[in-house]
Amino acid sequence: MKDQFEKILLAVGFPPGKADTLARIFMENSLDGVYTHGVNRFPDFVDYVKKGHIRIDGEPECVHTFGSLEQWEGNLGPGVLNALRCADRAMELARESGIGCVALANTNHWMRAGTYGWRVAKAGYIYIGWTNTIANMPPWGATKPRLGNNPIVIAVPYRDEAIVLDMAMSQYSIGALKQKKMRDELLPVPGGYDQQGNLSVDPSAILDSQRVLPIGYWKGAGLSLLLDIVATVLSGGLSVARITAQRAERGLSQVFMALSLERYSNRALVDQIIQEILTDYSSPAADAGQGPVLYPGERVLKVRQENQTGIPVMASVWNQILTLA
Amino acid sequence: MKDQFEKILLAVGFPPGKADTLARIFMENSLDGVYTHGVNRFPDFVDYVKKGHIRIDGEPECVHTFGSLEQWEGNLGPGVLNALRCADRAMELARESGIGCVALANTNHWMRAGTYGWRVAKAGYIYIGWTNTIANMPPWGATKPRLGNNPIVIAVPYRDEAIVLDMAMSQYSIGALKQKKMRDELLPVPGGYDQQGNLSVDPSAILDSQRVLPIGYWKGAGLSLLLDIVATVLSGGLSVARITAQRAERGLSQVFMALSLERYSNRALVDQIIQEILTDYSSPAADAGQGPVLYPGERVLKVRQENQTGIPVMASVWNQILTLA
């Protein structure tokens, strides 16, 4: 899978280093089971490159520094490469002064938000990061999309791996709704409203109405707004409204924070907490639809293991990718 | 109201400066309509002081510094005073180096989480802060409380005031459930499960089962866990599990972050975003139960204005307070 991605990326004009990294991230996202931001998304990425929304030679650069807070310009480069650079820079700042924050303007979709959480937490830091998006969720009390689902990631080191919370502000990401629709499945809990204004578990009805449900109703709508404001104000970049006005999801604003656990923080407490939360919960709850108690990221590790013998890909998706080479 | 609070605090042994600040915060929380963490909560606060859970002479102190990241010890002092000090310290760090983060161990309940968001944002900084709590919410897939509802606040300066998101990880805070129960009202959306395992809008049934619903189901449960881990690991303090094991909500762990908007960040973008989000939404959505579109904190400003002519207090609560003097 990685070789195929790399071949296509080289063919559309990426230099070898960038093609290698991008191909690896798209493969790893798929290996971890996040197909919506891995193999299933790859054709859209190539399309955005061909349309010029993503600039092959766009490089991120630091434009302002104030202590442990930096403002970077993404120059519309590939979102994955920009985000990797800024996540690494946040770690450098944290290594120097405990905490580092990089705000990035004019970047592109970073694909899987969790990518940067796994990276930073596996390097031994706490990570907090988020992105804004094109409008895809109505404010609470409204019917038309005006907020992004603005995924946030919080990640901490855990044993040799990490605990990684990767969540959009909508109950389901657009990618998850599309995947459920593609598989002709209903949602386990309501994910939005149908066109008649009723809460619905039908992904098609929700995608049609464009009224996805924020997590916690008014709460997720509020959190989405604040994440957009902070990313936009710190980076000096485009807000959800301004991204949406372009009619293409490009020029996003993002925040990357790393916190050092090097000096005096007590990393062993993570183990203690996980043990104390999960103990006695080895059997699932009585309620239907609730699986065993897992920490965020635990399922990813299982899928990563399962997929070592091969990553499942829908034939239609792979056939489309073969035409891109 | 403030005079009455102050008289009681002096009587239980607080020195004048601390009594004045505490009385003012309890009054201001009530003025802003957050009665659950203002006047309604005041008797519990005094009770905790009398029981020795809250130490009148406990002062916060910095125990470790690593650049812009500090670890403070709360010495079981009053949570409000500890939190004010740490929020101010985060601002000092941000003034020096763009961003500041203070992690506070062994503190007590800070009452209204939003207090510190309003304070920091009105001083011109972005604020991100949260606390852990006693266990009051089951992990996803479980039936017994093992997670806190761990409220988080994100606040940004806006005109002469602030936009302040103040939200617990449960769909409703325990305080809100108790208030609804006291008023004999049902919830507008499900807030948890009854003892039979059905989603419920009855606050009494939910308080009885102790199965409050996390915002966004598994998502809010995951976010709660990560907030607990980060607060505990950074501060070196007690986790939700360890707080709960004490059988009293004391010795909490908290995080206070401030980000400077002084140098190059573009504060005017906040106005632009609010205008672009709220424009065209002056009329409420068709759906029942959804009011007009408001930004987080907008309703607080209205209540603060309305309450200028007098703060509504339940007679039973006020009579109880009069007995404390």
Side-chain angles (χ1 to χ4, degrees):
Chain A
M1 181 182 278
K2 192 210 159 210
D3 289 349
Q4 179 65 28
F5 290 161
E6 198 168 349
K7 198 168 90 180
I8 295 165
L9 293 169
L10 290 168
V12 297
F14 279 99
K18 289 186 179 182
D20 175 72
T21 303
L22 285 167
R24 182 174 55 76
I25 297 289
F26 272 102
M27 178 277 289
E28 285 177 356
N29 291 352
S30 311
L31 183 68
D32 279 7
V34 190
Y35 311 110
T36 53
H37 293 120
V39 59
N40 294 1
R41 181 82 178 216
F42 187 78
D44 290 339
F45 174 77
V46 172
D47 182 53
Y48 258 44
V49 171
K50 288 180 177 169
K51 283 181 175 152
H53 294 318
I54 296 167
R55 293 188 187 151
I56 288 171
D57 58 354
E59 301 273 354
E61 53 179 340
C62 181
V63 288
H64 286 111
T65 296
F66 175 16
S68 308
L69 177 63
E70 291 189 346
Q71 195 175 75
W72 284 58
E73 161 64 42
N75 289 312
L76 294 175
V80 167
L81 300 179
N82 283 350
L84 290 171
R85 180 72 190 91
C86 290
D88 288 353
R89 179 60 188 152
M91 282 193 275
E92 286 170 21
L93 291 167
R95 197 176 309 130
E96 291 162 15
S97 51
I99 182 170
C101 180
V102 173
L104 172 63
N106 302 313
T107 189
N108 277 303
H109 199 303
W110 63 12
M111 297 302 130
R112 173 191 182 196
T115 295
Y116 317 98
W118 284 99
R119 181 181 183 92
V120 173
K122 287 197 70 167
Y125 297 81
I126 292 174
Y127 173 80
I128 303 174
W130 66 90
T131 184
N132 64 7
T133 67
I134 202 164
N136 52 24
M137 187 170 80
W140 184 248
T143 54
K144 284 181 189 156
R146 195 69 64 95
L147 299 172
N149 64 3
N150 303 352
I152 188 170
V153 171
I154 305 182
V156 295
Y158 178 53
R159 299 181 178 176
D160 294 335
E161 287 290 346
I163 298 174
V164 181
L165 177 80
D166 174 356
M167 58 179 248
M169 291 304 114
S170 49
Q171 186 62 55
Y172 297 97
S173 68
I174 302 297
L177 290 175
K178 285 181 180 169
Q179 195 177 49
K180 282 282 184 185
K181 181 183 173 180
M182 211 185 293
R183 291 176 176 173
D184 208 19
E185 291 173 358
L186 293 180
L187 308 169
V189 299
Y193 298 87
D194 62 21
Q195 291 195 319
Q196 289 71 47
N198 304 308
L199 280 172
S200 175
V201 293
D202 176 359
S204 295
I206 297 162
L207 288 166
D208 287 348
S209 75
Q210 295 190 287
R211 294 187 57 191
V212 306
L213 190 67
I215 57 166
Y217 306 85
W218 53 90
K219 291 192 168 191
L223 185 48
S224 162
L225 177 65
L226 265 294
L227 294 175
D228 182 33
I229 291 175
V230 175
T232 303
V233 170
L234 283 182
S235 71
L238 301 182
S239 65
V240 168
R242 294 288 163 112
I243 292 161
T244 307
Q246 303 175 124
R247 296 171 185 277
E249 195 175 36
R250 57 181 286 189
L252 308 182
S253 301
Q254 300 177 339
V255 173
F256 304 81
M257 277 190 205
L259 292 108
S260 174
L261 297 173
E262 196 63 31
R263 293 278 178 93
Y264 51 77
S265 296
N266 193 345
R267 216 180 123 159
L269 290 173
V270 180
D271 277 69
Q272 186 199 92
I273 291 171
I274 293 300
Q275 274 176 27
E276 292 179 347
I277 296 282
L278 299 189
T279 304
D280 304 342
Y281 283 137
S282 48
S283 58
D287 307 292
Q290 294 195 19
V293 177
L294 300 174
Y295 63 78
E298 192 168 0
R299 187 173 285 118
V300 167
L301 291 177
K302 288 182 186 166
V303 174
R304 190 184 298 169
Q305 192 56 42
E306 288 163 14
N307 284 356
Q308 293 296 329
T309 53
I311 299 170
V313 184
M314 282 181 291
S316 60
V317 170
W318 195 248
N319 287 334
Q320 188 188 357
I321 287 171
L322 291 177
T323 67
L324 299 173
Chain B
M1 180 181 280
K2 190 206 161 211
D3 290 349
Q4 180 64 27
F5 289 161
E6 197 168 350
K7 199 167 91 178
I8 295 164
L9 294 168
L10 290 168
V12 298
F14 279 99
K18 289 186 180 182
D20 174 72
T21 303
L22 285 167
R24 180 174 57 75
I25 297 290
F26 273 103
M27 177 278 290
E28 285 177 356
N29 291 353
S30 311
L31 183 68
D32 279 6
V34 189
Y35 311 111
T36 54
H37 293 120
V39 59
N40 294 1
R41 181 81 179 218
F42 187 78
D44 290 340
F45 174 77
V46 172
D47 182 55
Y48 258 45
V49 172
K50 288 179 177 170
K51 282 181 176 153
H53 293 318
I54 296 168
R55 293 187 186 150
I56 288 171
D57 59 354
E59 300 273 354
E61 54 181 339
C62 181
V63 289
H64 285 111
T65 296
F66 177 15
S68 308
L69 176 64
E70 292 189 346
Q71 195 176 74
W72 284 58
E73 161 63 44
N75 289 310
L76 293 175
V80 167
L81 301 180
N82 283 351
L84 290 171
R85 180 72 189 90
C86 291
D88 288 353
R89 180 59 188 153
M91 282 193 275
E92 286 169 23
L93 291 167
R95 197 175 310 129
E96 291 162 14
S97 50
I99 183 171
C101 180
V102 173
L104 172 64
N106 302 312
T107 189
N108 278 302
H109 198 303
W110 63 13
M111 298 302 131
R112 173 192 182 197
T115 295
Y116 317 98
W118 284 99
R119 181 181 183 91
V120 173
K122 286 197 70 167
Y125 298 81
I126 291 174
Y127 173 81
I128 303 174
W130 66 91
T131 183
N132 64 7
T133 67
I134 202 163
N136 53 23
M137 189 170 79
W140 185 248
T143 55
K144 283 180 188 156
R146 197 67 64 96
L147 300 173
N149 64 4
N150 303 352
I152 189 170
V153 171
I154 305 181
V156 294
Y158 178 53
R159 299 183 178 174
D160 294 334
E161 288 290 347
I163 297 174
V164 181
L165 177 81
D166 174 356
M167 59 179 248
M169 291 306 113
S170 50
Q171 186 63 54
Y172 297 96
S173 68
I174 302 297
L177 290 175
K178 286 181 179 168
Q179 195 178 50
K180 283 281 184 186
K181 181 184 174 180
M182 212 185 293
R183 290 177 177 172
D184 208 19
E185 291 173 358
L186 294 179
L187 308 169
V189 300
Y193 298 87
D194 63 21
Q195 291 195 318
Q196 288 72 48
N198 305 306
L199 280 173
S200 175
V201 292
D202 176 359
S204 296
I206 297 162
L207 288 166
D208 288 349
S209 74
Q210 297 190 287
R211 293 186 59 191
V212 305
L213 189 67
I215 57 167
Y217 306 85
W218 54 90
K219 291 192 168 190
L223 185 49
S224 162
L225 177 66
L226 266 294
L227 293 176
D228 182 33
I229 291 174
V230 175
T232 303
V233 170
L234 284 182
S235 72
L238 301 182
S239 65
V240 168
R242 295 287 162 113
I243 292 162
T244 307
Q246 304 174 122
R247 296 173 184 275
E249 195 177 36
R250 57 180 285 187
L252 308 181
S253 302
Q254 300 176 339
V255 173
F256 304 82
M257 275 189 208
L259 292 108
S260 174
L261 298 173
E262 196 64 31
R263 293 278 176 91
Y264 51 78
S265 296
N266 192 344
R267 219 180 122 158
L269 290 173
V270 181
D271 276 69
Q272 184 199 94
I273 292 171
I274 293 300
Q275 275 175 26
E276 292 179 347
I277 296 283
L278 299 189
T279 304
D280 304 341
Y281 282 137
S282 49
S283 58
D287 307 293
Q290 293 196 21
V293 177
L294 300 174
Y295 62 78
E298 192 169 0
R299 187 174 283 117
V300 166
L301 292 178
K302 288 182 185 166
V303 174
R304 189 184 297 168
Q305 192 56 42
E306 288 163 14
N307 284 356
Q308 292 297 328
T309 53
I311 299 170
V313 184
M314 281 182 292
S316 60
V317 170
W318 195 248
N319 287 333
Q320 189 188 358
I321 288 171
L322 291 177
T323 68
L324 300 173

